[in-house]
Amino acid sequence: MKKGLLLLMVVVLSVFGLSACGGGSSSDGDKTEITYYQFSAPADGKALDEMVKEFEKQNPDIKVKVQTIAYNDYFTKLQTQIAGGDAPDAFELNYETFVQYAEKGVLADLTSYIEKDKDFDPSTLNKQAYDAFKYEDKQYGMVESFSNVVTIYNKDLFDKAGVEYPTADWTWKDEQAAAEKLTDAKNKVWGTSQPVTMNEFYKVAAQNGGSIFNEDMTAATINSPENVEALTHLTSEVTDSKVAPSPSDLSGQLPEDLFMNGQIAMLHTGIWLFDMFQDAPFEWDVQVEAGNTQKATHFFANGIGVSKDSDKKEAAFKFASFMSANEEAAKIRIDNNWELPATENKEILQPYLDATPPDNREAVFESLQYMVLPPVVKDWNKISDYTNSEFEKVLNGASTPEKALKNSEANINETMGFK
């Protein structure tokens, strides 16, 4: 009797143990279920649903459970999950934060998976976008998409003011002159708008030959004459000439909302907003951003990392690889105006160029000639937060560009441990 009872207990415990171990890694029969975290973007809902369905069609043994998190909350939640030992199997990272996660050792090295995957060919991808997710010569992420920033302009406002449309050789001076003619304070129309933040400033500084660090990354160079001129240019549009809306003018609205309302003539923003502007009640187009001593524009890349602690790394890699280089995934991204796939396949990219508006989509690719990347340092977010607070003081009339950059340089040197 005791022997039979013992046998029954062993069977029960075995079944319970198997179900407990298998519940998180597999569902829906023999399918392997992976969790994927991504941050939200305007066009991504429909596109991501289509991509996941296509991936699961091509990989019927894998199911993807997606969780979309607002960008402002995303990295806090992701870090909490990782710290608690409950990291998703795969998760989205942008270029600016990728190195921080690679340095912390929380990402799986994907190099061996790539070498074994006969269907994945890195040469089919934009090299700079692909290499952006390497760390110490190993691939710790798969590039998912890339994007950049252009000047988006309201053609109707230009026509009404009798101002010539922007050209690719415009300088700050040209944009300023046009913005002054386009601004109509009485009707709350501003000539231009661009963020006064560190993530905008490093590019504006580069447009004037400035930089945030020296070449060997041993000292901050943010407090330079070139950068003072750059910050003065950026802030004076708000504080002096008032050709750009102030934080109080925005009243909690986003610049893209005012653009859609016909209240901003030129908007410096990313190509990811093209889809949002498709229904604008006016004609609009795009152009390469103006520079000063040289051209410079943003280059953004998003990628997918795999958790080092995942017990489903191979399945997670398959999904990351699909999102990176699969032609069907690239076509879905193009069809939905969701940034750009990293593909070099011109046939896949052609529908993007053919789609309108905007008519001048060539400017998107022309801008890639002038792309600059944010400095890759582990404390970039911390540095940006401090610098943003200094810039805000300038906008509020409580400081000057000179003081803001002097304080920011001291903060960067202290944060980075520079002498």
Side-chain angles (χ1 to χ4, degrees):
M1 179 70 180
K2 288 183 179 179
K3 185 176 180 181
L5 180 60
L6 179 62
L7 179 61
L8 177 61
M9 288 176 67
V10 169
V11 171
V12 170
L13 287 171
S14 297
V15 171
F16 178 80
L18 284 172
S19 63
C21 292
S25 62
S26 179
S27 64
D28 209 5
D30 294 330
K31 289 185 179 182
T32 297
E33 181 178 277
I34 60 170
T35 53
Y36 171 57
Y37 278 19
Q38 66 124 29
F39 41 79
S40 59
D44 60 10
K46 179 174 178 288
L48 184 59
D49 286 346
E50 291 181 28
M51 288 178 181
V52 169
K53 286 178 182 177
E54 180 61 31
F55 172 76
E56 291 177 345
K57 178 182 174 183
Q58 295 184 24
N59 298 270
D61 57 333
I62 302 173
K63 181 176 178 60
V64 182
K65 184 179 179 181
V66 177
Q67 185 168 351
T68 300
I69 303 162
Y71 184 82
N72 290 340
D73 302 322
Y74 179 81
F75 291 103
T76 300
K77 181 174 177 60
L78 180 59
Q79 289 168 15
T80 300
Q81 296 288 105
I82 292 172
D86 191 27
D89 299 297
F91 46 91
E92 191 170 32
L93 292 170
N94 53 18
Y95 171 79
E96 296 93 314
T97 57
F98 163 71
V99 171
Q100 298 175 39
Y101 283 80
E103 282 182 336
K104 291 175 182 175
V106 300
L107 300 177
D109 178 4
L110 302 179
T111 307
S112 62
Y113 294 97
I114 292 169
E115 290 171 350
K116 290 187 292 185
D117 189 348
K118 296 179 181 179
D119 296 325
F120 178 74
D121 181 3
S123 68
T124 64
L125 300 174
N126 177 284
K127 188 177 188 305
Q128 184 151 0
Y130 179 69
D131 288 347
F133 295 91
K134 279 186 176 178
Y135 178 70
E136 295 183 344
D137 294 325
K138 293 181 179 179
Q139 201 76 32
Y140 283 94
M142 302 296 287
V143 63
E144 176 189 16
S145 65
F146 71 92
S147 56
N148 56 10
V149 168
V150 292
T151 299
I152 304 180
Y153 63 95
N154 182 323
K155 296 172 74 173
D156 289 8
L157 288 178
F158 272 78
D159 293 342
K160 183 179 178 181
V163 178
E164 294 292 325
Y165 298 150
T167 64
D169 58 359
W170 262 23
T171 63
W172 291 350
K173 185 178 179 180
D174 295 318
E175 180 169 330
Q176 178 71 29
E180 289 175 3
K181 295 176 183 177
L182 290 158
T183 298
D184 181 356
K186 182 180 178 181
N187 291 305
K188 294 186 177 181
V189 173
W190 291 270
T192 189
S193 177
Q194 59 189 129
V196 185
T197 62
M198 184 57 146
N199 283 331
E200 183 77 6
F201 177 71
Y202 80 80
K203 174 200 66 179
V204 177
Q207 292 173 350
N208 202 40
S211 62
I212 309 303
F213 297 95
N214 61 4
E215 285 189 16
D216 57 2
M217 299 293 289
T218 57
T221 56
I222 194 171
N223 186 26
S224 67
E226 294 85 358
N227 288 354
V228 170
E229 184 179 6
L231 185 57
T232 301
H233 161 70
L234 197 58
T235 56
S236 66
E237 292 179 338
V238 176
T239 60
D240 296 339
S241 62
K242 301 185 186 302
V243 297
S246 67
S248 61
D249 291 325
L250 291 170
S251 298
Q253 296 182 87
L254 296 172
E256 51 264 36
D257 296 327
L258 293 187
F259 182 78
M260 280 291 283
N261 290 340
Q263 293 178 262
I264 291 176
M266 291 178 283
L267 182 65
H268 293 257
T269 193
I271 62 174
W272 53 85
L273 288 179
F274 284 3
D275 190 61
M276 174 181 177
F277 297 152
Q278 292 303 303
D279 297 324
F282 50 80
E283 297 292 320
W284 60 279
D285 208 345
V286 301
Q287 188 52 267
V288 178
E289 289 188 288
N292 199 36
T293 62
Q294 62 186 26
K295 290 282 189 182
T297 192
H298 287 101
F299 175 79
F300 298 103
N302 291 333
I304 298 176
V306 173
S307 172
K308 175 181 66 68
D309 296 328
S310 171
D311 59 356
K312 293 160 277 186
K313 292 187 185 70
E314 186 170 354
F317 166 74
K318 283 184 179 181
F319 178 68
S321 174
F322 171 88
M323 294 290 284
S324 177
N326 183 271
E327 290 190 356
E328 290 304 316
K331 289 174 184 176
I332 292 169
R333 191 175 290 278
I334 292 289
D335 289 344
N336 286 273
N337 263 325
W338 184 21
E339 301 178 339
L340 281 168
T343 181
E344 293 279 77
N345 188 321
K346 293 181 179 178
E347 185 176 335
I348 291 176
L349 291 172
Q350 194 59 49
Y352 179 85
L353 289 168
D354 293 340
T356 58
D359 292 331
N360 186 27
R361 289 184 181 238
E362 288 287 354
V364 173
F365 295 93
E366 186 179 346
S367 293
L368 294 177
Q369 301 175 44
Y370 314 113
M371 60 189 181
V372 293
L373 292 165
V376 180
V377 295
K378 63 180 180 180
D379 291 313
W380 179 246
N381 287 341
K382 186 176 179 180
I383 289 168
S384 295
D385 288 343
Y386 179 87
T387 309
N388 289 348
S389 68
E390 288 295 314
F391 292 172
E392 189 174 349
K393 292 175 187 176
V394 179
L395 291 178
N396 293 333
S399 186
T400 64
E402 291 84 357
K403 289 180 182 178
L405 294 180
K406 181 180 179 180
N407 291 343
S408 294
E409 183 161 299
N411 174 264
I412 293 172
N413 283 330
E414 180 181 353
T415 302
M416 298 294 296
F418 297 149
K419 294 182 180 179

